[in-house]
Short mmCIF file of all heavy atoms in Angstrom, two decimals:
data_model
loop_
_atom_site.label_atom_id
_atom_site.label_comp_id
_atom_site.label_asym_id
_atom_site.label_seq_id
_atom_site.Cartn_x
_atom_site.Cartn_y
_atom_site.Cartn_z
N ALA E 133 0.09 22.11 -55.10
CA ALA E 133 -0.02 22.96 -56.30
C ALA E 133 1.07 24.01 -56.30
O ALA E 133 1.70 24.28 -57.35
CB ALA E 133 -1.40 23.61 -56.31
N LEU E 134 1.33 24.59 -55.12
CA LEU E 134 2.37 25.62 -55.03
C LEU E 134 3.74 25.04 -55.34
O LEU E 134 4.56 25.65 -56.04
CB LEU E 134 2.36 26.22 -53.62
CG LEU E 134 3.04 27.56 -53.44
CD1 LEU E 134 2.51 28.60 -54.41
CD2 LEU E 134 2.89 28.06 -52.01
N ARG E 135 4.00 23.83 -54.80
CA ARG E 135 5.29 23.20 -55.09
C ARG E 135 5.44 22.92 -56.58
O ARG E 135 6.51 23.14 -57.16
CB ARG E 135 5.39 21.89 -54.30
CG ARG E 135 5.96 22.06 -52.90
CD ARG E 135 6.51 20.75 -52.38
NE ARG E 135 5.50 19.70 -52.39
CZ ARG E 135 4.62 19.51 -51.42
NH1 ARG E 135 4.60 20.31 -50.39
NH2 ARG E 135 3.73 18.54 -51.51
N GLN E 136 4.37 22.46 -57.18
CA GLN E 136 4.43 22.17 -58.63
C GLN E 136 4.68 23.44 -59.43
O GLN E 136 5.42 23.46 -60.41
CB GLN E 136 3.14 21.50 -59.09
CG GLN E 136 3.06 20.04 -58.68
CD GLN E 136 1.75 19.39 -59.05
OE1 GLN E 136 0.80 20.09 -59.42
NE2 GLN E 136 1.69 18.08 -58.94
N LEU E 137 4.05 24.53 -58.99
CA LEU E 137 4.24 25.82 -59.68
C LEU E 137 5.70 26.26 -59.59
O LEU E 137 6.33 26.64 -60.60
CB LEU E 137 3.31 26.87 -59.06
CG LEU E 137 3.47 28.28 -59.61
CD1 LEU E 137 3.02 28.36 -61.07
CD2 LEU E 137 2.67 29.30 -58.79
N ILE E 138 6.25 26.19 -58.36
CA ILE E 138 7.66 26.61 -58.18
C ILE E 138 8.59 25.72 -59.00
O ILE E 138 9.51 26.21 -59.67
CB ILE E 138 8.03 26.57 -56.68
CG1 ILE E 138 7.24 27.66 -55.94
CG2 ILE E 138 9.51 26.76 -56.48
CD1 ILE E 138 7.29 27.54 -54.44
N LEU E 139 8.32 24.43 -58.98
CA LEU E 139 9.15 23.49 -59.74
C LEU E 139 9.04 23.77 -61.24
O LEU E 139 10.06 23.77 -61.96
CB LEU E 139 8.70 22.05 -59.43
CG LEU E 139 9.68 20.95 -59.78
CD1 LEU E 139 10.94 21.08 -58.95
CD2 LEU E 139 9.06 19.57 -59.57
N GLY E 140 7.84 24.06 -61.67
CA GLY E 140 7.62 24.35 -63.10
C GLY E 140 8.36 25.60 -63.54
O GLY E 140 8.97 25.63 -64.62
N VAL E 141 8.36 26.61 -62.67
CA VAL E 141 9.09 27.85 -62.99
C VAL E 141 10.58 27.57 -63.04
O VAL E 141 11.30 28.04 -63.92
CB VAL E 141 8.75 28.95 -61.95
CG1 VAL E 141 9.63 30.17 -62.15
CG2 VAL E 141 7.28 29.34 -62.06
N ARG E 142 11.07 26.79 -62.05
CA ARG E 142 12.51 26.48 -62.03
C ARG E 142 12.94 25.73 -63.29
O ARG E 142 14.01 26.00 -63.84
CB ARG E 142 12.83 25.62 -60.81
CG ARG E 142 13.05 26.42 -59.55
CD ARG E 142 13.50 25.45 -58.48
NE ARG E 142 13.61 26.10 -57.21
CZ ARG E 142 13.78 25.46 -56.08
NH1 ARG E 142 13.82 24.15 -56.08
NH2 ARG E 142 13.91 26.10 -54.94
N GLU E 143 12.15 24.77 -63.66
CA GLU E 143 12.54 23.95 -64.81
C GLU E 143 12.19 24.59 -66.14
O GLU E 143 12.47 24.03 -67.20
CB GLU E 143 11.83 22.58 -64.69
CG GLU E 143 12.36 21.76 -63.53
CD GLU E 143 11.56 20.49 -63.34
OE1 GLU E 143 10.51 20.35 -64.02
OE2 GLU E 143 11.97 19.66 -62.51
N GLY E 144 11.55 25.72 -66.10
CA GLY E 144 11.24 26.44 -67.32
C GLY E 144 9.99 25.97 -68.03
O GLY E 144 9.72 26.38 -69.17
N ARG E 145 9.26 25.10 -67.37
CA ARG E 145 8.04 24.63 -68.00
C ARG E 145 6.94 25.68 -67.94
O ARG E 145 6.05 25.74 -68.76
CB ARG E 145 7.55 23.33 -67.33
CG ARG E 145 8.38 22.10 -67.70
CD ARG E 145 7.78 20.83 -67.14
NE ARG E 145 8.05 20.69 -65.71
CZ ARG E 145 7.13 20.82 -64.76
NH1 ARG E 145 5.90 21.09 -65.10
NH2 ARG E 145 7.45 20.68 -63.50
N ILE E 146 7.01 26.49 -66.91
CA ILE E 146 5.98 27.53 -66.74
C ILE E 146 6.66 28.89 -66.87
O ILE E 146 7.70 29.12 -66.23
CB ILE E 146 5.28 27.41 -65.38
CG1 ILE E 146 4.60 26.03 -65.26
CG2 ILE E 146 4.27 28.52 -65.17
CD1 ILE E 146 4.10 25.70 -63.88
N ASP E 147 6.08 29.76 -67.70
CA ASP E 147 6.63 31.11 -67.86
C ASP E 147 5.68 32.07 -67.17
O ASP E 147 4.59 32.37 -67.67
CB ASP E 147 6.77 31.44 -69.35
CG ASP E 147 7.51 32.77 -69.53
OD1 ASP E 147 7.99 33.31 -68.49
OD2 ASP E 147 7.57 33.25 -70.65
N LEU E 148 6.11 32.54 -66.01
CA LEU E 148 5.24 33.42 -65.23
C LEU E 148 5.11 34.81 -65.88
O LEU E 148 4.11 35.49 -65.67
CB LEU E 148 5.79 33.57 -63.81
CG LEU E 148 5.44 32.43 -62.83
CD1 LEU E 148 6.03 32.73 -61.47
CD2 LEU E 148 3.94 32.24 -62.71
#
Side-chain angles (χ1 to χ4, degrees):
Chain E
L134 198 54
R135 272 201 304 276
Q136 284 176 348
L137 176 67
I138 292 168
L139 198 64
V141 172
R142 276 186 186 169
E143 292 174 351
R145 285 186 283 109
I146 300 170
D147 187 7
L148 278 181

